[in-house]
Amino acid sequence: KFHMVKIFIALIPVVLAAASMSFAQTGNNGEVFVTNDYRLQAGNAIVVKWFANKVYYQDGFNVYRKEEGLASWTKLNSAPLKVKTEVPQYMADKDADIKPFLNIVTNTSYDEFQKGVAKVFVALKAIMNPDFAELLGIIYYDENIVPGKRYQYEVRGILNGGEELVNTSKAITAGPYQPEAAPQSVTV
C-alpha cells in the first residue's frame, strides 16, 4: 500500500496538469487503443481499451468492429459495458486498492464525479490496472477474431437513449502479441 501511495504522490503534478485538460485533444470524446492479447500471447483475442473524456458513461458503452476496408460496423457486446458495483475476490486479492477506487466511482454522483479531480486518479488507476478497467467497463476482449485479418474498433458511449462516439481505433492485424520496440531516437 505504501508503495502505491508514493507513486500517486509522485503523480500529483501530472494529475493536476491533466485535470486542466481533456484526455483527448483532437476534437473527439476520447481515445481507443488496441493490442493483441497480452495475457496469453497466443493471438486468440484483441484487447480494446478506451479512455473517454467522461471516464465512464452511466448507461455504459458499446463496442463495434469492422474488417479493414469494409463499411459496416458490427456490435460486439450483447449488453452495455457498465461500471460494476462489486469487486470479485480474486481482483481484491491481487490489488488491495481496487475496492477503494471503485468506491470513489460508485459512491459519488455521476455529475459530481465528472467535475472532480478524482476522475483523473480513477483514469490513472484504469491505465495501470486492466482488472480495474474491466470493473469500469472500459476494456473489451474480442475473442472472435481470425488471425491475420485486420480490424478496426469503434467505442460509443450510451447517452440519453442514443450513442455518442468516443473514438475509432487504428487498424490492427490479429495475431500473437508482440511488444512494441523501445524508441531508438530518444536521447536524454
Side-chain angles (χ1 to χ4, degrees):
K1 274 188 171 179
F2 182 69
H3 178 67
M4 288 302 295
V5 170
K6 288 185 351 185
I7 290 172
F8 281 114
I9 289 172
L11 288 173
I12 287 175
V14 174
V15 169
L16 292 176
S20 66
M21 67 180 95
S22 174
F23 286 110
Q25 300 297 318
T26 57
N28 54 44
N29 294 307
E31 293 298 331
V32 178
F33 303 95
V34 291
T35 185
N36 285 293
D37 196 346
Y38 45 79
R39 298 171 301 171
L40 303 174
Q41 299 185 355
N44 297 332
I46 292 176
V47 180
V48 184
K49 192 173 186 180
W50 57 94
F51 296 100
N53 293 347
K54 296 177 182 172
V55 181
Y56 75 97
Y57 284 65
Q58 276 183 301
D59 295 328
F61 294 94
N62 287 321
V63 179
Y64 295 82
R65 178 186 71 200
K66 72 174 185 169
E67 285 186 42
E68 189 177 49
L70 297 180
S72 62
W73 293 92
T74 302
K75 184 177 166 188
L76 299 177
N77 51 303
S78 58
L81 304 173
K82 298 173 103 174
V83 173
K84 310 237 183 337
T85 57
E86 298 291 325
V87 177
Q89 191 59 48
Y90 77 92
M91 287 184 186
D93 290 344
K94 288 193 298 186
D95 182 350
D97 293 330
I98 205 164
K99 279 185 181 181
F101 270 93
L102 186 60
N103 287 340
I104 290 170
V105 176
T106 59
N107 294 338
T108 306
S109 78
Y110 180 75
D111 292 332
E112 199 61 35
F113 178 81
Q114 297 304 333
K115 292 187 245 177
V117 73
K119 82 176 194 175
V120 178
F121 285 102
V122 166
L124 287 170
K125 180 70 171 176
I127 289 168
M128 297 184 328
N129 186 325
D131 286 341
F132 187 62
E134 188 175 328
L135 291 173
L136 288 181
I138 62 170
I139 194 168
Y140 182 83
Y141 299 96
D142 183 5
E143 297 175 345
N144 293 312
I145 56 152
V146 177
K149 286 200 175 191
R150 289 183 59 78
Y151 298 104
Q152 269 189 293
Y153 293 85
E154 190 169 274
V155 175
R156 302 176 195 167
I158 301 169
L159 185 65
N160 299 325
E163 291 182 326
E164 174 177 84
L165 178 66
V166 171
N167 211 333
T168 304
S169 74
K170 64 178 180 147
I172 184 170
T173 302
Y177 173 73
Q178 296 178 0
E180 297 215 13
Q184 301 298 313
S185 60
V186 176
T187 54
V188 179

